[in-house]
Amino acid sequence: MIELNQVHLTYSAAGRQVPVLAGASLAVPQGESVAIIGPSGSGKSSLLLVMTGLETPDSGTVTFDGVSLHEQSSDTRADLRRDKIGIVFQNFHLIPSLTARDNVALPVDIAGGDSARSRAEAMLSRVGLAERMDHYPNAMSGGERQRVALARALIHQPMLMVADEPTGNLDSQTGEAVADLLFELNQENDATLILVTHDPALAARCERQVRLHEGQLKSVTL
Ligand code: ADP
Ligand code: MG
């Protein structure tokens, strides 16, 4: 369902070249869960951006749901993300002027879907934020914001869920609840789950673990 083939990515910053991906390859069938591990700075977040079409690789291909992602226009890639991909970013990208409910409802509103408000409320309840629907992001804790971001990323029941350290800012109990939701949707919807984590216990819950090292992905056994 998603396949990376020999992906290369080098950033240029302040006149220096920073090689990040150097022949990264990975094939993930529909419904599988995969953990990506690797030290800070190894390129895990960049890898997720490439997978979701938010960053264009220098070379190599990403095939998602049968289409070569980077051969599409940026509008087509945005449509694919809106319809089929849920991304939980490391920094939450919530809209400060919108309540939790409206942040979560936004993707459904934008896509012209029905009952955005009640679906947002259902998702927020599922992540334990029934009492926080009317709060603005700056009136919520880091963990609460992370759960709003999760609810927003998953409200459209995407076939691919991509999460960048989804439990990184959470206490262990909340982290477990967030992980539970990801794995429930993985099972219920046969949705593919790709998550980056530093937590060995969370990585172990995935069917497969791969390590990003020197720009390449290798299967590991925990
Ligand atoms: P990780 O998520 O594994 O910590 P990142 O993908 O965030 O790693 O970053 C990989 C490397 O690329 C780091 O050295 C980082 O400083 C660099 N980097 C990330 N984004 C950019 C960017 N937009 N421009 C230049 N360098 C970047
Ligand atoms: Mg990162």
Side-chain angles (χ1 to χ4, degrees):
M1 93 104 11
I2 185 154
E3 183 167 359
L4 282 76
N5 192 17
Q6 289 293 318
V7 169
H8 289 73
L9 176 71
T10 297
Y11 289 117
S12 323
R16 291 190 50 205
Q17 301 284 96
V18 183
V20 177
L21 302 175
S25 297
L26 179 71
V28 184
Q30 180 72 45
E32 193 178 42
S33 55
V34 179
I36 294 168
I37 59 177
S40 183
S42 59
K44 304 180 298 299
S45 296
S46 305
L47 181 74
L48 296 188
L49 293 176
V50 169
M51 270 184 197
T52 52
L54 289 164
E55 185 74 72
T56 301
D58 303 324
S59 63
T61 56
V62 179
T63 310
F64 169 66
D65 196 27
V67 299
S68 181
L69 207 50
H70 297 94
E71 284 174 26
Q72 312 302 310
S73 68
S74 63
D75 282 355
T76 303
R77 284 198 297 272
D79 289 347
L80 283 170
R81 274 192 299 276
R82 184 195 65 202
D83 295 338
K84 299 182 178 174
I85 305 180
I87 310 174
V88 185
F89 291 101
Q90 224 170 342
N91 43 4
F92 320 127
H93 296 297
L94 296 177
I95 297 174
S97 59
L98 296 181
T99 63
R101 179 193 292 101
D102 290 343
N103 263 287
V104 175
L106 191 64
V108 177
D109 273 336
I110 289 173
D114 288 334
S115 50
R117 190 183 162 92
S118 60
R119 283 167 66 187
E121 289 173 356
M123 277 313 280
L124 283 166
S125 299
R126 220 168 150 171
V127 296
L129 292 179
E131 309 300 317
R132 295 286 183 279
M133 309 253 192
D134 295 307
H135 282 229
Y136 289 89
N138 67 7
M140 286 185 281
S141 70
E144 288 168 347
R145 277 180 238 161
Q146 174 65 310
R147 285 181 280 157
V148 175
L150 186 81
R152 183 186 55 183
L154 304 180
I155 187 170
H156 61 311
Q157 312 254 341
M159 62 193 286
L160 171 63
M161 300 183 285
V162 171
D164 200 350
E165 301 189 28
T167 62
N169 299 292
L170 306 179
D171 61 72
S172 59
Q173 203 179 342
T174 315
E176 200 154 317
V178 160
D180 286 348
L181 177 62
L182 288 168
F183 287 103
E184 279 162 27
L185 295 174
N186 166 240
Q187 301 280 314
E188 283 169 24
N189 300 343
D190 195 33
T192 306
L193 172 61
I194 299 177
L195 60 83
V196 163
T197 185
H198 285 295
D199 175 358
L202 179 58
R205 288 183 70 176
C206 292
E207 289 167 271
R208 194 150 64 96
Q209 295 79 30
V210 295
R211 184 189 306 278
L212 182 56
H213 179 65
E214 293 180 347
Q216 300 195 352
L217 291 163
K218 298 208 172 67
S219 286
V220 290
T221 320
L222 292 181

